[in-house]
Structures are given as C-alpha cells and as structure tokens.
Amino acid sequence: MSRTHDEVEIGVQLQPGMEPQVQRYAREKVAAVLGHTARPVLFARVRLDRTGNPAAVRPVTARAEIDVNGRVLHAEAHGDSPYEALDRLQDRLQARLDRGRTTR
C-alpha cells in the first residue's frame, strides 16, 4: 500500500524508563524529514536506547528506518539526551534522503 508522508504512522520504541514525551518529539522530527519527499513512504520506525554504562559519552542512541518507495534509509545518532540524539538523527536522515534524490 502506498501512502504519503502525512498518512504513515511513525512507530517509536522507547527503552523502559524514558519519558513518554520523547515519543511525540521523535514523531515530529521524523515527520519533518518525511515532509521533504514527494515519494510514497511505506513505513517509518524509530528506536531509542540508553546505555547502562555511566561513563559513556553520548549514552543515548536513536536509530531509524524509513522505507521511501521501496528504498530503506537507515540512520543512527548518539546524544547526551534523547532530544539531542533525535536532533542529530533528523539531520542524518535528511542528508540520506537528499543523497537519494527523493526530495521534491
């Protein structure tokens, strides 16, 4: 089924213990990227994890998979907080989308 970016549900999986507001922020960040493509978006998923190592630099990891018209884009970014990781993830997804010439 072919859907536009406005119709696709963006799945967000949070590691237990992360604040629920992060889900909304993740959806907003990915939706902003999807708004730059005119091609059908088949699915979009985001996963956020925090490492258990207290000495880790940028302990939060945000990963995304987005299927744009059959081409799956993968991106990963790290940050000190879920919000920082998602901001970086948005930039990486946008760069991958731009390289794939799937923009309007």
Side-chain angles (χ1 to χ4, degrees):
M1 179 176 162
S2 176
R3 296 175 282 196
T4 65
H5 65 276
D6 293 329
E7 298 169 330
V8 70
E9 183 177 332
I10 300 167
V12 179
Q13 181 182 2
L14 301 179
Q15 181 174 345
M18 288 191 180
E19 53 192 36
Q21 303 92 305
V22 174
Q23 282 187 319
R24 186 181 75 239
Y25 192 73
R27 285 187 181 102
E28 290 171 2
K29 290 297 183 175
V30 173
V33 172
L34 298 180
H36 292 267
T37 185
R39 300 208 179 185
V41 177
L42 305 178
F43 68 79
R45 293 187 279 251
V46 178
R47 180 179 170 155
L48 283 120
D49 296 299
R50 181 183 303 273
T51 182
N53 181 353
V57 177
R58 295 188 180 139
V60 179
T61 302
R63 293 179 182 89
E65 289 181 316
I66 299 173
D67 187 325
V68 180
N69 201 30
R71 180 172 173 252
V72 180
L73 305 176
H74 298 272
E76 181 176 305
H78 303 275
D80 291 326
S81 72
Y83 299 98
E84 180 183 353
L86 288 165
D87 289 343
R88 291 172 185 255
L89 182 68
Q90 179 184 13
D91 293 341
R92 291 196 177 173
L93 283 171
Q94 188 63 58
R96 285 191 170 73
L97 193 66
D98 290 346
R99 270 185 287 185
R101 301 178 203 264
T102 57
T103 56
R104 291 181 203 218

